[in-house]
Amino acid sequence: MNNKKNIFQQILSKKIITKIIYEDNLVTAFNDIKPQSPIHVLIIPNNFISTLNDINKNHELILGRMLLVASKIAKKMLIDKDGYRVVINCNKNGGQTIFYLHMHLLGGRQGIKFFF
Ligand code: 5GP
């Protein structure tokens, strides 16, 4: 287990105090520590998956839930009408820095571009 994976696991186990925006039996969402846009939420599975390369058929429900929660949070934060962006970075060339699968939800201003 590396330190970067630990960060999200420590958030999940409440060892690092972070305001949890949403949690259920499969996923948890919290604000990004270094927001790239006015709204920048991270949605992660409750059980460890390192990267998008590591998913399989057993993860279909979790991956679907991550999208559903992104849409739910976007509505709750009133960015659904103007629009938003969801991003999953994978490995070095995808710009992944934390090796614990996470989905970025970015909104609150126009033309958000992330890593390109
Ligand atoms: P990646 O580059 O791996 O797709 O995104 C990792 C994200 O995690 C970055 O946007 C970064 O700001 C965020 N992040 C890193 N460490 C922490 C932390 O300790 N707490 C929170 N809330 N976000 C973090």
Side-chain angles (χ1 to χ4, degrees):
M1 184 192 301
N2 66 34
N3 289 335
K4 295 196 164 170
K5 175 174 133 190
N6 266 335
I7 291 170
F8 288 178
Q9 289 194 319
Q10 284 176 41
I11 288 173
L12 284 176
S13 63
K14 322 274 192 233
K15 282 190 188 122
I16 293 179
I17 303 303
T18 303
K19 187 183 167 205
I20 301 298
I21 290 173
Y22 176 93
E23 64 186 330
D24 64 24
N25 60 326
L26 293 179
V27 307
T28 299
F30 48 88
N31 286 316
D32 196 292
I33 203 166
K34 205 175 149 201
Q36 306 290 317
S37 57
I39 287 171
H40 187 169
V41 174
L42 299 174
I43 302 158
I44 68 172
N46 292 344
N47 290 321
F48 177 68
I49 302 170
S50 180
T51 79
L52 204 54
N53 288 332
D54 300 304
I55 60 165
N56 60 49
K57 209 163 167 36
N58 296 329
H59 297 120
E60 279 181 348
L61 190 60
I62 296 167
L63 296 165
R65 184 72 60 84
M66 286 168 78
L67 278 171
L68 205 60
V69 167
S71 161
K72 200 179 264 198
I73 293 171
K75 288 191 181 92
K76 184 110 182 152
M77 293 190 164
L78 305 176
I79 57 170
D80 55 317
K81 295 282 182 329
D82 283 342
Y84 54 89
R85 186 174 166 95
V86 291
V87 176
I88 295 177
N89 298 318
C90 182
N91 274 345
K92 182 167 55 88
N93 286 359
Q96 183 173 11
T97 58
I98 303 281
F99 288 86
Y100 189 120
L101 182 70
H102 52 281
M103 180 182 283
H104 298 257
L105 166 65
L106 298 140
R109 69 176 159 83
Q110 209 178 359
I112 293 154
K113 295 282 180 206
F114 203 63
F115 292 124
F116 53 87

